[in-house]
Amino acid sequence: MADDLNNTFGFELLNKLYDTQVTKKEDILILFVHWYCIKNGFRCIGLGDSKTRDPAEKGSELLPEGWNQQPNYTLRYVFKDKLYILLGTKSDTDFLLNLLRVEGNEASCIQFSIETTVNSLHGSLETLMPTYQTALNTIENDLIAPIYRSRNENSTQTSQSTSQERNILDQPLRQPVLPPVFPEWVPADRGPRNVGGQDLDPLGIRGGGGMIFDPLHTRPSLLREPGGLGVPGRLPPGAVPPGARFDPFGPPDILRPRPPRGNPDSDHLPPPGYDDMFM
């Protein structure tokens, strides 16, 4: 019982204030919706369906003069500095209510059966609307909540997208992933005269690259002396006296371009009519 009293707190006072102005059952429904809107922070700023308002209008908890003098109901409300318009229209047996939020042109709609919802024009809330709790749930869930929820979802989506964009912008730029660079193998001493030095000196005093001499990983500038020829296949200037007989030694010169590879030797091919020696 206490919960019911808390849910309907303030309606009894509002009902007594307008009891003499109520002339039809639709007035009770408008009075009930107006009470619920005021209870949840809405303020009424007058009659009509104008979609513009003076920012100085703060609204009131009271209904304006002549609120039930027209065939249809048009009440203007302000909530959190936004304009709302409540429209009430009677059909043959039903009463249709629309709530429009002007900003965004979003609207919600509910419908009540007049005869089964409103029993009397005067008395307590239980006398006026025996099923008022059902009507209250309908107003809350189908008239007010859809617009308010839509407004919150739009603002939440906007804030989430802004937050995601900010997170993306805040992330540092990723550096490109480069393949690992392995150090090139280089003999301890690149000079060709010291090849095999470590093999002759097992204690490692002299240094040198041992017997491993890789000409492919040795720069030509280390194989040559200025103005002369080097090893392999070449000697520095003055190593061979003029006119002396000299036979080249060592591997072929890797700095010389290799001759193009020719066609296979005909001796490498089987003779005509030869099938298979294993058949």
Side-chain angles (χ1 to χ4, degrees):
M1 185 65 179
D3 292 340
D4 291 342
L5 292 176
N6 292 333
N7 287 340
T8 60
F9 179 79
F11 178 79
E12 182 179 359
L13 181 61
L14 189 69
N15 183 35
K16 288 185 177 182
L17 183 62
Y18 293 101
D19 183 68
T20 58
Q21 299 182 20
V22 173
T23 59
K24 48 189 179 295
K25 290 186 175 181
E26 303 92 272
D27 293 347
I28 299 297
L29 291 172
I30 285 292
L31 193 63
F32 193 64
V33 173
H34 173 80
W35 161 80
Y36 184 82
C37 290
I38 296 301
K39 177 183 176 181
N40 287 275
F42 287 75
R43 293 294 180 267
C44 185
I45 60 174
L47 300 175
D49 56 0
S50 174
K51 296 183 179 180
T52 60
R53 76 176 184 92
D54 184 356
E57 292 180 304
K58 300 303 181 182
S60 171
E61 296 182 3
L62 303 177
L63 285 166
E65 292 291 335
W67 62 275
N68 61 345
Q69 299 300 313
Q70 301 296 327
N72 298 324
Y73 301 84
T74 54
L75 297 172
R76 301 168 72 238
Y77 293 87
V78 61
F79 176 66
K80 292 186 177 180
D81 205 36
K82 305 298 180 183
L83 180 62
Y84 293 79
I85 300 177
L86 178 66
L87 304 175
T89 306
K90 179 188 176 184
S91 65
D92 293 337
T93 59
D94 296 331
F95 188 62
L96 185 66
L97 287 164
N98 294 91
L99 182 63
L100 170 67
R101 182 162 63 92
V102 174
E103 181 179 337
N105 289 326
E106 297 183 7
S108 59
C109 177
I110 58 175
Q111 184 173 348
F112 292 110
S113 174
I114 298 176
E115 296 301 326
T116 59
T117 305
V118 181
N119 272 9
S120 175
L121 299 182
H122 306 283
S124 64
L125 180 58
E126 291 79 1
T127 303
L128 298 175
M129 302 171 58
T131 59
Y132 71 90
Q133 191 63 53
T134 302
L136 184 62
N137 294 334
T138 302
I139 295 171
E140 179 180 1
N141 298 325
D142 299 333
L143 187 68
I144 305 297
I147 292 182
Y148 189 73
R149 186 185 307 118
S150 175
R151 181 170 179 266
N152 285 346
E153 288 176 353
N154 291 337
S155 61
T156 301
Q157 291 175 358
T158 302
S159 61
Q160 288 178 351
S161 61
T162 304
S163 177
Q164 291 176 357
E165 292 176 357
R166 187 180 299 110
N167 291 338
I168 293 175
L169 294 177
D170 291 342
Q171 292 179 359
L173 295 177
R174 294 184 178 180
Q175 298 295 334
V177 179
L178 300 177
V181 178
F182 298 98
E184 182 181 4
W185 177 85
V186 178
D189 189 343
R190 299 192 183 189
R193 298 186 182 87
N194 291 327
V195 174
Q198 288 183 350
D199 295 329
L200 300 177
D201 183 15
L203 298 179
I205 298 176
R206 293 179 54 189
M211 293 303 295
I212 301 177
F213 180 77
D214 188 356
L216 299 179
H217 289 81
T218 308
R219 293 180 296 180
S221 59
L222 297 177
L223 295 179
R224 294 186 178 185
E225 295 179 4
L229 301 178
V231 176
R234 301 185 181 188
L235 293 176
V240 180
R245 182 178 178 179
F246 174 73
D247 293 329
F249 61 90
D253 191 352
I254 61 172
L255 300 179
R256 294 181 181 179
R258 296 181 179 180
R261 183 176 298 178
N263 296 326
D265 194 330
S266 57
D267 293 338
H268 296 165
L269 302 177
Y274 180 81
D275 294 333
D276 191 350
M277 61 181 292
F278 299 102
M279 292 182 63

